[in-house]
Amino acid sequence: QVQLVETGGGLVQAGGSLRLSCAASGSIGSINAMAWYRQAPGKQREFVAHISTLGSTTYADSAKGRFTISREYAKNTVYLQMNSLQPEDTAVYYCNVNLMSRIGARGDYWGQGTQVTVSS
């Protein structure tokens, strides 16, 4: 069994910053890619950022230049540093991890979500 625990959400004023963390634990053999998605009220979940096994990164246009995804391999943790936050960034943020379990099963796992609210 795999668990993903997200932390770091909260309320911030426009122009402020937040850092999200997502730590994976449990029956983990190896972690492949890690990513962040978000879902605003009344909208579909959307891609925010992705980091590969080797550390290459991809961002949604809305995140480029403001958000930075990184990972700490030894801690099975992915981070999302968010700067210059705007009200339209308000959403529940979810981490997604593609991994192989100790018994060799590969799959995608989701965190429980953390609320980010940006006030104007």
Side-chain angles (χ1 to χ4, degrees):
Q1 193 170 0
V2 175
Q3 299 83 36
L4 300 182
V5 177
E6 302 176 16
T7 57
L11 173 65
V12 64
Q13 289 187 332
S17 299
L18 284 174
R19 188 191 194 209
L20 307 182
S21 301
C22 173
S25 63
S27 180
I28 298 172
S30 62
I31 293 180
N32 186 16
M34 308 179 88
W36 288 94
Y37 289 74
R38 68 186 183 186
Q39 187 166 17
K43 295 186 177 182
Q44 290 188 331
R45 190 172 298 187
E46 65 177 9
F47 167 77
V48 176
H50 172 278
I51 185 165
S52 73
T53 306
L54 297 180
S56 62
T57 58
T58 308
Y59 296 93
D61 287 344
S62 59
K64 288 179 182 177
R66 299 188 302 128
F67 294 2
T68 302
I69 188 171
S70 61
R71 62 191 288 178
E72 191 167 355
Y73 292 87
K75 294 185 177 181
N76 291 335
T77 298
V78 62
Y79 304 97
L80 185 68
Q81 176 67 43
M82 303 185 293
N83 299 327
S84 301
L85 284 162
Q86 299 301 316
E88 52 265 35
D89 295 315
T90 295
V92 177
Y93 284 70
Y94 298 90
C95 67
N96 173 271
V97 176
N98 181 269
L99 61 83
M100 181 173 290
S101 71
R102 289 176 184 163
I103 61 172
R106 182 174 292 281
D108 278 310
Y109 294 82
W110 291 89
Q112 82 283 1
T114 185
Q115 177 70 48
V116 171
T117 303
V118 185
S119 62
S120 57

